Every structure is written in C-alpha cells, then in structure tokens.
Amino acid sequence: MMSSRILTLLVLLALLVLAPLYLPMALVNAGIQMLIAALFATAFNVLAGQGGMLSFGHSAYFAIGTFATIHAMNAVEEIAGFPTPLLPLAGLIGGGLLGVVAGWFSTQRSGVYFAMVTLALAELLHSLAPHLSGIFGGEGGVSAMRMPAWGLDFGSSVQVYYLTLFWVVLGVALLYYFTRTPLGRLCEGLRENTHRLRFMGYDVHRLRLMVFTVSAAFSGLAGALLAMNNEAANYVLFDMNLSAQVVLNAYIGGIGAFFGPALGAAVMTFFGYAVSDLTRTWLLYQGVIFVLVMMFMPAGLFSIGKWWRRHSDHHSVRQLGAVLAGWSTACVLGAVGLVFVVEVLAVILAQDYQSLLVAGQPWPAIQLFGLSLLPGQVWVWLVPLALMVAGVLGVLGVSRRWARLREEYAS
C-alpha cells in the first residue's frame, strides 16, 4: 500500500506539472523563482540542518553556479554542440569546485568559528567580483541567450519552467538519496557528536568537507537555473542578502525536516512576489514573520503537518481542524491590525507627507486601503490596536482549549 508521504509527493508533483497550463504567465515566472529558491534552501539544509554547520555565506556558491552557467551558455552560443538543457551541470560543477576550496578552509572549525569563516570567504568574493570584470562583467554583469535544443527554443517561460522543474526535482531527489547514504547518515553524527565520530576512527574534517561540497554543488545548480531563467548575472548575487535569505527561508520552513526549507523558501518567495508590489515595507513583514515563527513555532511551518499526524490518532479531524482554524483566524486578526498600523506609520513618516504638515494645523488626511484617514482621530489607532489584542487573546484562548483537550485525552 502506497504510503501517505509518497502519495503526497506524487500529488504535489502532478500539481507542479499541470500548473503552467492554468496559471497566468506572471505566476509561472513566480513559480520558477519558487522552485529555484526551494532547491537552494534544500541544498543549504543538507549542510545546516543535517550536518549542523550553519553557513552565512552560501550565496557565494549560488553565484558561482550562476556565472559558470552564463559563461557555458556563451560558449555554446559560439561553438555550438552542447545541448542547452544540460548546461545547469556547469553550475553544479562550478559550485562544487568552489565548495572544495572554500570548504577545506571553513570545515577546519566548527560552530560560530565555521560560520564566521564562511561569512568571511563570501565577503571576500563579494569584494573581488567587481574588480574581476573579465569573469563577472563588472557592474553591467554578463548576459547570454538560451540556444534551441532537442526541438525546444526555450523562448517561452513555460519551457523554462519545465526545464527548471526537471532539475529541481532531480536535485532534491538526489539530495534526499544522499541523506540516506552512509555519508548522509554520518551527517547526523557531525551535528550531534563529532568527538564520538573521532573516537570511532572517522576523519571529521574529511566528512565535513564532503558534506560541504555536496551542499555547495547543489547550491551552484540552483544558481545555474537562475542563469537559465534570467539569461544574465551580476556580481550583486554575491551580496550577503542572498545568504541571509536562504537562512531565513530554511528556518521558517523548518531545518529539522528535509522538505521544510523547500516549503519555507517557496512560501516566502511567493510572499515577496505578492507583497513587494503592494508596499515598500514588505521586508519588515518578512522579518516579523521570521521572529514570530521562531518564537511560537521554532520547528518551522513544516511542523504543522507533523503536529496533525502526531495527534490525529487521539483527536478527531473536527477537533484538530477547529484548533488549527482558531489559531489561523487569531493570527489573521492580529496581522490585519499590525499591517494597518505599519502602513499608516509608513505614510505619515514619509518625507512627502511630512512636507505637508503645518504647525498648529490638523494633520491632513491620508488615502490608504481605499479609505480617507485622519491620523489625528483616535479610532485610526484604536481599531488596529483592538485587532492586535484580539489576535493575541485568540491565540491564547485557542491554546488553552487545546491544552484542555490534551488533558482530557490523557486522563
């Protein structure tokens, strides 16, 4: 009998295959970005979640994979002969080679010292890249074109989507298989107790280096898919923001589960796509989400499914659904109040609005959410505050209800 996990993966894969047939082109492009982010976060998780080595400079391997593929695309354009769908292999190799070199240095240490070395190496590349214009193209970057191959011209986003989907599914599957190999199993030993591994005769540095190289290679593969999609690359890819982003995505999804970071990366990438055009403060919301997830759901979003499976044998679907719906509703209420306050503050603190203020005169109205709001009116601040308080009280109330249900079952 097919397990629920395999069935879920097959349904998800079917949805990913069928999605471009029904979605507008803008969402297809967003889907490509979500797939790339999911592969990058999964590769990062092999190092951080499985191996216990938190890298703060993984954008370096992603960027090297991007540039390696861009140069491979230009080489194919000039000399022809190499099929375009296989060009992401250049990113895989590029990321892996840099991983061997950078990993040899960084895996000499562990813990915070390892994190600092990865950060320093990434910053070193970020500083050098603008000066190596022959490789990284300076401020203008490097561009290339996807050449036709195997009867496909790769001129539409749909073809690029399926190319990206193929490599992401293959990459995630290989990484999952890696975690089931003896080396992958030893990753947990690297995370939990390296002294015991040394006592058993393992070369810890070599193990760390191999895990680091695998993670860097598949990060390079994710960067290669970005090159295939954008047909351009700039040294900005080496920026620390990309390294920070993959850390946030992985932890929001949950590094304790193999598919958790992929979930977090897909959700947060779509969040950025959907919200960044609506407000300039979307990065603030992203930070608030990260803080709240770490405070109240430290195992990440993926733990919701685990929570459901763990309690489904003892509680009915109606009870679990009511608890989950209650938490969700309370969170939405609090989020609405928070967004209202943040957006009002963003408008009245903007330079344009401040220039309209006249001493001794009431503050002029602002247009927000289709409403004309006077910042001097009390209800403008009391209503969102009441929503936030209702959200907090709702979460606490549902949590108490859930605690009583568990006590009733235990008794």
Side-chain angles (χ1 to χ4, degrees):
M1 185 175 179
M2 187 177 295
S3 69
S4 59
R5 178 175 298 181
I6 295 177
L7 183 61
T8 303
L9 290 176
L10 289 177
V11 171
L12 176 61
L13 182 59
L15 291 175
L16 290 174
V17 171
L18 295 175
L21 304 179
Y22 301 98
L23 294 178
M25 203 52 63
L27 286 179
V28 172
N29 288 323
I32 295 173
Q33 300 297 330
M34 292 165 67
L35 289 170
I36 294 172
L39 177 60
F40 187 27
T42 304
F44 169 80
N45 189 47
V46 168
L47 184 68
Q50 305 289 327
M53 291 175 278
L54 181 59
S55 169
F56 285 147
H58 242 49
S59 64
Y61 317 103
F62 182 91
I64 285 295
T66 307
F67 279 101
T69 306
I70 283 288
H71 287 298
M73 291 170 70
N74 283 327
V76 168
E77 186 177 351
E78 293 176 1
I79 62 176
F82 196 84
T84 298
L86 299 182
L87 285 176
L89 290 174
L92 182 80
I93 297 171
L97 291 176
L98 180 62
V100 171
V101 177
W104 190 88
F105 291 101
S106 54
T107 54
Q108 301 274 358
R109 294 290 181 268
S110 61
V112 67
Y113 305 105
F114 167 83
M116 291 301 103
V117 173
T118 59
L119 176 64
L121 291 174
E123 276 297 298
L124 176 65
L125 283 173
H126 185 220
S127 301
L128 286 176
H131 304 289
L132 302 174
S133 56
I135 301 175
F136 302 113
E139 294 185 357
V142 183
S143 59
M145 290 183 62
R146 297 184 294 266
M147 300 302 293
W150 297 349
L152 302 172
D153 59 11
F154 296 104
S156 71
S157 296
V158 174
Q159 292 184 2
V160 177
Y161 174 89
Y162 283 118
L163 176 65
T164 305
L165 178 62
F166 168 78
W167 280 106
V168 169
V169 171
L170 179 62
V172 172
L174 289 174
L175 286 171
Y176 184 79
Y177 174 74
F178 170 76
T179 61
R180 294 296 183 265
T181 62
L183 176 58
R185 297 290 187 186
L186 286 173
C187 285
E188 297 180 7
L190 290 174
R191 183 187 62 201
E192 301 295 338
N193 195 334
T194 55
H195 296 295
R196 186 170 184 179
L197 286 179
R198 286 194 182 94
F199 178 78
M200 295 171 67
Y202 289 104
D203 187 335
V204 172
H205 179 230
R206 182 176 296 179
L207 289 175
R208 282 177 175 160
L209 177 57
M210 286 191 284
V211 176
F212 192 100
T213 303
V214 169
S215 176
F218 282 88
S219 297
L221 177 61
L225 297 177
L226 182 70
M228 298 295 294
N229 182 45
N230 293 349
E231 298 180 294
N234 188 284
Y235 77 88
V236 174
L237 288 170
F238 288 100
D239 193 86
M240 287 306 302
N241 287 336
L242 188 58
S243 294
Q245 192 67 50
V246 72
V247 175
L248 295 180
N249 290 343
Y251 275 88
I252 287 175
I255 64 168
F258 178 82
F259 293 105
L263 173 66
V267 169
M268 296 312 295
T269 302
F270 183 77
F271 176 82
Y273 163 79
V275 179
S276 60
D277 289 338
L278 300 177
T279 174
R280 296 178 180 177
T281 55
W282 70 278
L283 285 175
L284 171 65
Y285 299 134
Q286 193 178 56
V288 171
I289 291 173
F290 178 74
V291 171
L292 293 178
V293 168
M294 290 301 98
M295 288 180 65
F296 300 106
M297 201 185 298
L301 299 177
F302 204 78
S303 63
I304 297 175
K306 289 184 175 179
W307 171 83
W308 186 283
R309 288 195 301 273
R310 188 167 62 249
H311 297 291
S312 59
D313 294 337
H314 315 308
H315 301 280
S316 67
V317 174
R318 184 183 60 81
Q319 289 175 324
L320 294 179
V323 171
L324 198 58
W327 276 330
S328 301
T329 303
C331 290
V332 169
L333 278 178
V336 170
L338 175 67
V339 169
F340 196 97
V341 170
V342 170
E343 293 303 317
V344 170
L345 287 174
V347 172
I348 65 178
L349 293 178
Q351 191 173 5
D352 293 344
Y353 184 82
Q354 291 291 316
S355 65
L356 300 176
L357 300 181
V358 178
Q361 298 294 321
W363 286 22
I366 61 175
Q367 304 301 319
L368 196 64
F369 305 121
L371 302 172
S372 181
L373 306 174
L374 291 171
Q377 291 182 328
V378 178
W379 73 267
V380 173
W381 304 101
L382 282 183
V383 170
L385 180 61
L387 288 173
M388 285 190 284
V389 172
V392 173
L393 293 178
V395 169
L396 295 176
V398 176
S399 298
R400 283 196 292 270
R401 169 63 179 162
W402 171 237
R404 284 197 297 271
L405 285 174
R406 296 187 65 183
E407 290 174 359
E408 290 173 2
Y409 171 78
S411 59

